[in-house]
Amino acid sequence: METKYDAIFIIKNDDNIENIISTINYFVKENCIILKKEKIGLKRLAYEIKGEKQGYYYFINFKTLTNQDNIVNKIKENINTIHNVIKYQIIKNDEI
């Protein structure tokens, strides 16, 4: 059974944004199929996060095919190793 997810990432604004996006895509593509990617761009944050007042927003819509909880947890563990990702959220997309 496949399950769809939406993920939004806020990345620290620096010269490595493309490399960080590639790393995020790699971690998601390891066990999932990416349906949509969108580089939203640099935005001012509503409040300071980890000392940053602005961040680069990146969105991914992806689907898992089996054992989705373990896959999402593995993605989260991998994303936590990227120190330039200052905040992210992955939510289940119940859209039919």
Side-chain angles (χ1 to χ4, degrees), residues 74-90:
K74 184 176 180 181
I75 291 170
K76 288 179 180 181
E77 287 175 14
N78 289 331
I79 297 301
N80 287 334
T81 65
I82 307 172
H83 69 277
N84 283 357
V85 174
I86 56 177
K87 195 159 185 93
Y88 70 92
Q89 187 166 22
I90 301 172

Side-chain angles (χ1 to χ4, degrees), residues 13 28 44-45 48 57 61 73 79 88 90 95:
N13 185 32
V28 174
R44 186 167 187 261
L45 301 175
E48 201 170 290
Y57 282 70
N61 175 260
N73 286 336
I79 297 301
Y88 70 92
I90 301 172
E95 181 181 291

Side-chain angles (χ1 to χ4, degrees), residues 2-9 24-25 27-37 58-66 68-76 79 88-94:
E2 71 181 40
T3 305
K4 292 182 182 177
Y5 291 88
D6 291 330
I8 188 81
F9 302 90
I24 292 169
N25 289 337
F27 288 147
V28 174
K29 280 195 262 184
E30 270 186 318
N31 298 297
C32 303
I33 298 170
I34 295 177
L35 304 172
K36 181 181 176 183
K37 301 183 283 189
Y58 180 61
F59 170 83
I60 300 178
N61 175 260
F62 63 93
K63 69 178 178 180
T64 62
L65 299 177
T66 58
Q68 59 269 9
D69 290 336
N70 288 341
I71 292 171
V72 172
N73 286 336
K74 184 176 180 181
I75 291 170
K76 288 179 180 181
I79 297 301
Y88 70 92
Q89 187 166 22
I90 301 172
I91 58 170
K92 193 179 286 190
N93 184 337
D94 293 331

